[in-house]
């Protein structure tokens, strides 16, 4: 993972999208963005220390003419997608921790 890295993601209720990494703080945070006609989305994932554990923060910002027109729908769809993504990441990290014996 590095700035300029590209991946294609199919999220629930959304078409396949090309996401490009725009920023990275190794082991801590990365940002990426995607463009669609009339819509630009920028997102970040950040791991925050919290005592002996950590917390993951995800956020997405949508701009462009379609973002304004579809704001209520985008909030609903993106809220669901972020919640599902966070649950999946949490489950993966907990499984990795259990496998390594550190959790």
């Amino acid at each position: 993972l590095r700035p300029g890295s590209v991946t294609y993601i199919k999220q629930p209720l959304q078409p396949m999208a090309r996401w490009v990494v725009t920023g990275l703080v190794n082991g801590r945070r990365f940002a990426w963005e995607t463009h669609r006609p009339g819509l630009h989305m920028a997102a970040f994932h950040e791991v925050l220390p919290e005592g002996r554990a950590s917390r993951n923060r995800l956020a997405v910002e949508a701009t462009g003419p379609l973002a304004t027109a579809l704001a209520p729908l985008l909030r609903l769809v993106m809220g669901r997608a972020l919640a599902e993504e966070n649950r999946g990441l949490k489950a993966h990290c907990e499984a990795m921790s259990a496998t390594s014996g550190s959790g």
Side-chain angles (χ1 to χ4, degrees):
L1 187 67
R2 65 181 185 276
S5 294
V6 174
T7 190
Y8 292 85
I9 299 174
K10 170 67 176 100
Q11 293 173 305
L13 304 175
Q14 297 180 49
M16 181 76 70
R18 178 182 186 263
W19 286 83
V20 179
V21 176
T22 57
L24 174 70
V25 176
N26 208 13
R28 173 73 190 243
R29 183 182 207 274
F30 76 92
W32 53 358
E33 62 184 37
T34 189
H35 296 271
R36 296 183 183 146
L39 182 64
H40 171 255
M41 290 193 290
F44 73 85
H45 298 245
E46 184 171 26
V47 177
L48 303 165
E50 197 166 84
R52 293 183 61 208
S54 60
R55 181 170 47 98
N56 182 46
R57 185 170 64 152
L58 309 174
V60 175
E61 179 182 282
T63 56
L66 281 180
T68 303
L70 300 175
L73 178 61
L74 281 174
R75 272 193 291 278
L76 176 66
V77 169
M78 292 310 299
R80 287 182 180 172
L82 289 174
E84 183 176 322
E85 192 172 326
N86 217 14
R87 280 191 301 273
L89 180 58
K90 182 178 188 288
H92 174 76
C93 290
E94 288 173 345
M96 294 297 292
S97 179
T99 300
S100 71
S102 62

